[in-house]
Amino acid sequence: MKRYSDCIRTDGMCGVCSLVNHGYDCHNNKLNGLLYQRTLCELKQRELAEKSGVNIRLIQKYESREYSCANMTLATAIALSDALECDVRDLL
């Protein structure tokens, strides 16, 4: 799924796109920490949900910025960071 109509990637994986620069996407919008870490691991949302035990809908809400990653529960942050093999602070 493309994030923007002019995306060069068809999978929506902004974090691994050659046009991404220092945590910003090709439209110069800051990438969400969770989205960035997930795309670096080349995981789909479904795969991250299965690996972390976190509901896919919750992951979608964090990545779309409907929910703030800064307000996720500690249990959720730890589960996601363990699944992504990153520091919890990288998600914020």
Side-chain angles (χ1 to χ4, degrees), residues 45-90:
Q45 289 175 335
R46 178 184 41 76
E47 294 168 330
L48 177 57
E50 290 170 1
K51 190 172 179 181
S52 67
V54 174
N55 185 288
I56 188 171
R57 197 56 203 122
L58 187 58
I59 292 169
Q60 292 168 340
K61 288 183 180 200
Y62 284 125
E63 288 190 0
S64 69
R65 298 183 188 266
E66 187 177 334
Y67 291 173
S68 170
C69 286
N71 293 328
M72 72 173 62
T73 66
L74 183 57
T76 299
I78 290 171
L80 290 170
S81 66
D82 285 350
L84 295 168
E85 299 178 12
C86 68
D87 190 284
V88 171
R89 291 173 285 223
D90 294 335

